[in-house]
Amino acid sequence: ENKQVGFWRGAAEDGHLRAGLTVDAPRRWSPDAPVVYWVEVQLRSGEEILAADDRLFGFRTLSAQGEQLLFNGEPLCLRGILNWGWYPKFLCPAPDAQTIRSEFERVRALGYNMVKLCLYVPSPLYFEIADEMGMMLWLELPMWLPEVTPRLRAQAPIEYRDILEQVHAHPSVVIYSLCCELDSAADAELLETLSGILRGRTSGVLACDNSGSGEAYGGLTFDYADFNDYHFYCDLHYFTPLVDHFSRDWRPPRPWIFGEFCDADDYRDVDEIVAAFGGVLPWYLTEQNPIHPIDKLAYSQQVERMAALGDIGFSKQDVQRISRQQSFAIRKHILEKVRARAAMGGYVVTSIRDTPLATSSMFDDLGRSKYDAEAFRAFNADSVLVLEQGRRRIWKRGGDRPAPVDRFNLTAGAPVSYRIVLAHAGQPLPGGVLHWQLLNADGAVLHSGHTPIEGPLPAGTPREIAGIIFNTPQMGGAYTLAVEFGDLRNQWSLWVYPAVTAWPDALACFDPGGTFEGLADLREAARDVSGVEEMTGQVLLTSVATPDVWDHVRGGGRALILQSGPGALPAVPRPFWREAIKLICPHPVWQGFPHQGYADMQFYNLATDYALDAAQLAAVPGVTSMTPILRRLDARQFMLTDYLVELRVGAGIALVSTLRFGAGLGDQVGDLAVNVAGRHLLHQMLAYLKT
């Protein structure tokens, strides 16, 4: 408005000039109203200007009240995106104004309200445009796994003071972290010194000394931080146990902000990139980055390694599409888990754009968004609706144990009870009516209902606002539960399976190690055997692949070999969801098993820590063919392993799998009786072997 709101004139004393201004009723800076002020300082001698300086600043506060994060006094959910400063067109973290504005507009369309500047300091232009556009920033100062030498101890304070002098007035910078994922090399003396510099030169911000926490990386067991900050990169079923493990009620309450997390690798179609770059791959996708060895990241060898795999049954575009559908499902699940919990101040999702070191991002190498913005905002906004359930326990071996319930895989014709939780930040919401519908694959409404909700609904702690009860359809398949409350919408895929009440007859079980405890009723339906002569005419269910088992198959028998860990079959430890793309290959065992061509939450309770080494498996004596059914394409190493394969061995057939039909990892369900998707798939596998 160019309206003067304050003025001061005074004289220097002892070579120092101390000025103070009061702005009556200042307008506060916020993402919705990024009001900035301009201050100019002139040193005059009479009418002569000896020196002058000016800068923009804003009025705003970010504070913690117990576990609640408050921005200008109102509850806030920080939703950040990680930016490593990778701008391939510029080769340095100094994008032009148009690029910066476009970046902020696009991440805001996805529901983000903050960008974390990870280990780099951008040009002044970046901060100025963030101030203007109302994009909050987390500035992480550039220190990651340093060698703490006397030189670093002397130089780091100098550089940190210089950086803070340049940026501290920007209202967009709301959080600072001194370092990232420091281990025991960084001692308390160094961090205390740097923390003192930071806190002495900033105000109205939150600070963290070691983003990721020292205790998680072998560093300090205490911190100089205003909030809890962890970097949980984990398979889906380990996320809740990790959060519970790091939650401690005996610590002073403070907000929890994930400084970076929720990565989900996908696949580059390098042919697209070659076409966009005049027929060649850019150098940064062919040169190996020295920071990460080839056995960790092999993007520089993607072309050669994928060619060596031959025809995998999916085009490059297919794999790219599948990977992005899978990564969307992963991010949705994790972010909704966060929003359903109290004390969560926010998060930073990894990351903003594909780089030579990662494909876990919102935007690909060609600048395209990987996800539909409206669909992503449904679970990444100030206010979101989350699907929840009650909790159960079981009495087992003389005591209570948790009994997780499968939220997304349901038995046909069974009653279901859900709760809708509102996670809300900002001004209180008015009341209204929540509407819900259960839709089939054609969009037809099978069930619906509505619940009046009394307002106002204050922000802060998540709260249950409605219950949903219905009976699942009698027909198996994929369904959608959609909810709407005012302007808020969300939806979840549900998978319904016919009840498995009986297993195929003529089953034999060979389980000398007793590893099938989680398959109780199937185990009871099978006849125990100890030798090949007892297996004749039987479909063998076994946990070990002994010479007798292979003799049985070679002679025309059928076997289902389940090995969920290391053992006789060549199995390798691998994360199920992270760093990998699941490829669902055409096969009769998928009959009646609903999926959309990619791994979504119907595989949650089948996820395993091991995959089969396909090349070694094909070398089993007598194997004449191997048909993949569920594969794992490593998104970083471009190697194939398998979770489920069919082997033709001599005159017989074996299905071999590392999937956990008994579940039991992390917060998976406890056994086959309640692993609805696994129970149906296992029944299909046995039925196939019987034919």
Side-chain angles (χ1 to χ4, degrees):
E1 298 177 358
N2 294 323
K3 178 183 177 182
Q4 181 174 298
V5 296
F7 180 80
W8 179 90
R9 183 192 300 271
E13 296 179 2
D14 299 326
H16 293 83
L17 186 66
R18 300 184 182 277
L21 282 175
T22 299
V23 178
D24 295 326
R27 296 173 60 191
R28 293 189 174 189
W29 184 95
S30 72
D32 296 328
V35 178
V36 292
Y37 290 79
W38 176 59
V39 61
E40 181 182 27
V41 178
Q42 294 180 348
L43 179 63
R44 291 174 176 261
S45 177
E47 294 301 317
E48 181 184 1
I49 299 176
L50 303 178
D53 195 9
D54 62 79
R55 68 178 48 181
L56 294 176
F57 71 98
F59 293 97
R60 59 114 191 92
T61 61
L62 178 65
S63 61
Q65 182 175 316
E67 296 177 333
Q68 181 67 63
L69 204 60
L70 299 176
F71 185 80
N72 292 336
E74 293 182 356
L76 170 71
C77 176
L78 285 170
R79 302 179 304 281
I81 187 73
L82 196 70
N83 188 347
W84 285 306
W86 171 247
Y87 295 93
K89 291 182 180 179
F90 302 96
L91 290 184
C92 65
D96 59 27
Q98 181 179 353
T99 300
I100 298 169
R101 292 181 191 281
S102 174
E103 179 171 293
F104 289 161
E105 289 170 355
R106 299 181 72 201
V107 298
R108 180 167 281 158
L110 288 163
Y112 295 102
N113 58 14
M114 182 178 71
V115 175
K116 183 179 183 183
L117 306 168
C118 183
L119 297 170
Y120 85 103
V121 183
S123 68
L125 183 62
Y126 199 96
F127 295 97
E128 292 164 7
I129 295 176
D131 291 343
E132 172 197 329
M133 295 183 64
M135 178 58 68
M136 292 185 285
L137 301 178
W138 176 337
L139 179 59
E140 183 163 81
L141 296 165
M143 188 182 296
W144 178 63
L145 298 183
E147 181 183 354
V148 181
T149 63
R151 168 67 174 165
L152 182 138
R153 291 185 188 277
Q155 187 65 21
I158 296 172
E159 296 193 13
Y160 276 34
R161 289 188 186 99
D162 289 346
I163 293 170
L164 293 169
E165 176 64 26
Q166 293 295 318
V167 306
H168 78 275
H170 290 285
S172 55
V173 184
V174 297
I175 294 183
Y176 291 89
S177 46
L178 298 173
C179 325
C180 179
E181 299 175 353
L182 298 189
D183 57 19
S184 58
D187 53 43
E189 180 184 358
L190 174 63
L191 293 182
E192 185 177 19
T193 297
L194 297 179
S195 179
I197 292 170
L198 172 61
R199 294 180 184 279
R201 284 163 172 77
T202 59
S203 61
V205 300
L206 294 184
C208 171
D209 57 341
N210 185 3
S211 185
S213 86
E215 63 180 355
Y217 291 91
L220 298 180
T221 57
F222 62 94
D223 58 44
Y224 302 96
D226 299 322
F227 55 92
N228 298 320
D229 178 355
Y230 299 107
H231 298 177
F232 289 166
Y233 292 114
C234 62
D235 263 4
L236 294 183
H237 44 286
Y238 291 114
F239 181 76
T240 295
L242 261 173
V243 174
D244 290 340
H245 177 67
F246 278 84
S247 299
R248 282 149 288 188
D249 291 341
W250 44 265
R251 282 190 169 183
R254 59 185 188 179
W256 183 316
I257 307 171
F258 292 96
E260 54 182 85
F261 87 143
C262 197
D263 67 335
D265 296 84
D266 60 24
Y267 183 82
R268 282 186 171 103
D269 182 354
V270 292
D271 289 348
E272 284 188 317
I273 301 173
V274 166
F277 282 80
V280 295
L281 273 176
W283 65 268
Y284 49 81
L285 293 181
T286 60
E287 299 290 333
Q288 183 65 26
N289 189 296
I291 295 178
H292 298 282
I294 197 71
D295 63 345
K296 298 297 183 184
L297 297 176
Y299 296 114
S300 64
Q301 294 187 7
Q302 177 178 344
V303 173
E304 296 82 359
R305 292 192 178 192
M306 290 302 297
L309 294 177
D311 183 8
I312 64 174
F314 298 85
S315 71
K316 295 173 184 177
Q317 278 289 294
D318 287 338
V319 177
Q320 182 168 278
R321 172 183 49 80
I322 290 167
S323 71
R324 293 179 181 180
Q325 291 171 314
Q326 175 187 296
S327 66
F328 180 89
I330 290 171
R331 296 186 197 274
K332 175 177 168 64
H333 187 78
I334 291 292
L335 295 187
E336 289 182 349
K337 278 190 170 183
V338 172
R339 295 303 296 273
R341 300 183 74 114
M344 292 294 167
Y347 47 78
V348 176
V349 173
T350 305
S351 62
I352 191 168
R353 65 177 55 83
D354 284 351
T355 76
L357 299 180
T359 59
S360 175
S361 64
M362 298 292 110
F363 308 128
D364 66 16
D365 296 280
L366 303 181
R368 300 170 302 190
S369 180
K370 297 180 181 180
Y371 311 121
D372 176 78
E374 183 178 358
F376 205 88
R377 285 199 310 274
F379 52 88
N380 187 46
D382 280 338
S383 304
V384 298
L385 301 172
V386 180
L387 189 67
E388 265 292 353
Q389 282 181 308
R391 300 295 187 261
R392 297 181 184 176
R393 39 69 74 193
I394 58 170
W395 185 267
K396 189 172 183 177
R397 296 203 178 98
D400 281 318
R401 298 186 183 185
V405 178
D406 194 327
R407 190 173 304 167
F408 305 105
N409 296 283
L410 310 168
T411 302
V416 180
S417 174
Y418 288 119
R419 287 91 184 270
I420 300 299
V421 171
L422 171 67
H424 170 54
Q427 292 284 342
L429 291 178
V433 178
L434 182 137
H435 298 271
W436 65 269
Q437 294 179 325
L438 182 69
L439 311 170
N440 66 13
D442 296 325
V445 177
L446 305 182
H447 297 291
S448 64
H450 64 276
T451 303
I453 299 171
E454 185 177 346
L457 298 166
T461 304
R463 64 184 62 233
E464 179 183 339
I465 60 172
I468 295 176
I469 299 175
F470 60 88
N471 283 348
T472 58
Q474 294 292 338
M475 182 177 295
Y479 297 86
T480 300
L481 178 63
V483 296
E484 177 180 329
F485 176 56
D487 294 332
L488 306 182
R489 292 171 176 78
N490 205 350
Q491 63 181 41
W492 302 270
S493 293
L494 306 178
W495 294 273
V496 175
Y497 309 83
V500 175
T501 57
W503 298 100
D505 55 9
L507 295 179
C509 182
F510 180 51
D511 182 30
T515 60
F516 284 167
E517 180 188 5
L519 312 182
D521 65 323
L522 173 59
R523 178 70 183 75
E524 293 169 1
R527 181 172 63 89
D528 281 332
V529 296
S530 58
V532 66
E533 68 282 352
E534 301 178 63
M535 304 177 193
T536 305
Q538 307 282 306
V539 172
L540 177 65
L541 172 68
T542 181
S543 58
V544 291
T546 65
D548 279 354
V549 170
W550 292 122
D551 287 344
H552 167 69
V553 178
R554 273 189 289 268
R558 303 286 194 269
L560 174 56
I561 306 172
L562 303 181
Q563 180 180 303
S564 58
L569 295 176
V572 289
R574 295 289 186 271
F576 187 83
W577 297 102
R578 294 198 68 248
E579 304 176 6
I581 303 152
K582 263 61 66 185
L583 299 176
I584 305 173
C585 306
H587 194 277
V589 302
W590 297 121
Q591 182 179 351
F593 188 91
H595 65 84
Q596 289 78 43
Y598 65 95
D600 203 331
M601 295 305 112
Q602 70 268 67
F603 288 94
Y604 191 95
N605 295 294
L606 285 159
T608 175
D609 286 341
Y610 284 84
L612 297 162
D613 186 321
Q616 292 189 50
L617 197 60
V620 171
V623 171
T624 58
S625 69
M626 184 176 71
T627 302
I629 303 173
L630 180 62
R631 315 205 78 178
R632 180 188 191 275
L633 175 62
D634 195 299
R636 300 184 178 186
Q637 291 294 310
F638 308 103
M639 298 176 179
L640 278 171
T641 49
D642 289 271
Y643 295 114
L644 176 59
V645 299
E646 176 184 330
L647 298 178
R648 297 278 174 157
V649 187
I653 301 174
L655 292 180
V656 183
S657 181
T658 58
L659 295 173
R660 294 187 66 89
F661 296 93
L665 295 179
D667 65 350
Q668 290 177 334
V669 297
D671 55 46
L672 184 64
V674 287
N675 187 356
V676 179
R679 190 174 180 86
H680 176 74
L681 180 58
L682 192 56
H683 188 274
Q684 293 300 107
M685 292 162 63
L686 290 169
Y688 172 73
L689 290 171
K690 286 284 291 182
T691 58

